[in-house]
Amino acid sequence: MSTGRRTHILFDFFGTLVDYSASRTEQGYHRSHRLFRRLGGDLDYPDFLAAWSRASADFDRLSDRDDHEFSMTDVGSAFLAGTLGRSPTRAEVDAFVAEYIGEWNTGVTYSAAVVECVRALAGTYRLAVVTNTHQPDLVPDHLAAMGLLPCFDAVVTSVEVGWRKPHPAIYAATLDTLGIRAEAALFVGDTYRPDFAGPERAGMRAYLIDPERAATVPDGRRLASVLDLPDRLAAE
């Protein structure tokens, strides 16, 4: 290995390996709204979006207290119970969540250059994804669609661990899953606390995608995009 003990690269997913919109409204959720109406909901489309945004924000505020993670099933169940005036069945919740995620995914885009970059890195390093997500199969499904899933030894999700980055539990779970010590891992992501400060505290060497130079990190650890990583590692 060109980096000695550094045998593994751990990637954030959203904003690092794919571009995406985090919005809960701008993608357009007309199919989700139609399903909601079939389930007995009586909100018009703007009120439906507003109610969904409020329900999601309530869960976000609770998670922000201690970085515990919630699932799409959790928020979907609470939203439907609050807007339908009854307890939804699990099948109804699952159908609503699947429809919503399908529409949210229209804001996720893949770069062919990033795909080739990851494949090249997989020739030298062992790779994993460590991602905050509310749905266990969301990121693996995207990686499969990109043709990259076989490149990764593990996809560690906050919803399955129960804690989101930068909680130390998710980094510890990742290292345990991979069977490595922290000093064997590099971490690459685009958000300071989850993808730089958290991994560094856990003992990993982190690189931050920060083209605007907004974060206080050493210049040698700052990337304009993930595409800079192979040359940076080769130079080191």
Side-chain angles (χ1 to χ4, degrees):
M1 297 290 179
S2 61
T3 54
R5 295 179 299 155
R6 309 286 182 178
T7 57
H8 288 66
I9 302 176
L10 314 184
F11 289 98
D12 169 54
F13 187 70
F14 294 106
T16 298
L17 298 182
V18 298
D19 294 323
Y20 77 112
S21 169
S23 174
R24 294 176 172 131
T25 59
E26 71 180 17
Q27 291 90 331
Y29 294 95
H30 295 283
R31 295 197 310 270
S32 299
H33 181 241
R34 286 194 292 272
L35 175 56
F36 168 75
R37 295 298 292 265
R38 291 198 297 273
L39 294 176
D42 60 1
L43 298 177
D44 63 15
Y45 182 66
D47 288 342
F48 163 79
L49 291 181
W52 174 257
S53 295
R54 287 194 298 271
S56 299
D58 287 344
F59 276 86
D60 282 337
R61 281 191 291 272
L62 290 173
S63 289
D64 286 344
R65 295 177 182 176
D66 61 2
D67 292 323
H68 78 272
E69 191 59 279
F70 62 89
S71 70
M72 287 297 297
T73 299
D74 294 332
V75 68
S77 297
F79 167 75
L80 290 176
T83 53
L84 298 179
R86 63 175 177 83
S87 296
T89 67
R90 179 58 186 264
E92 289 173 332
V93 173
D94 289 347
F96 179 79
V97 166
E99 196 73 84
Y100 179 86
I101 288 175
E103 294 186 291
W104 186 88
N105 275 339
T106 62
V108 180
T109 59
Y110 314 145
S111 161
V114 170
V115 170
E116 291 309 309
C117 176
V118 170
R119 286 176 176 157
L121 288 167
T124 303
Y125 297 90
R126 309 298 293 269
L127 308 182
V129 166
V130 187
T131 181
N132 287 351
T133 180
H134 308 301
Q135 185 72 5
D137 57 358
L138 181 61
V139 171
D141 284 354
H142 279 299
L143 289 169
M146 297 166 76
L148 289 180
L149 191 57
C151 294
F152 291 93
D153 288 357
V155 179
V156 179
T157 70
S158 58
V159 70
E160 292 174 293
V161 174
W163 300 96
R164 62 171 58 171
K165 299 176 293 182
H167 195 281
I170 191 168
Y171 310 116
T174 301
L175 297 173
D176 184 62
T177 295
L178 296 172
I180 60 172
R181 297 174 63 87
E183 55 265 28
L186 308 170
F187 201 104
V188 183
D190 70 319
T191 308
Y192 176 74
R193 289 185 64 244
D195 301 326
F196 191 89
E200 288 274 323
R201 282 196 300 270
M204 292 178 269
R205 182 179 180 89
Y207 294 82
L208 184 68
I209 298 169
D210 181 30
E212 304 301 323
R213 306 180 67 83
T216 302
V217 300
D219 283 342
R221 307 284 194 86
R222 194 191 318 272
L223 307 172
S225 83
V226 72
L227 300 178
D228 293 341
L229 184 63
D231 287 346
R232 183 67 56 83
L233 296 179
E236 293 177 358

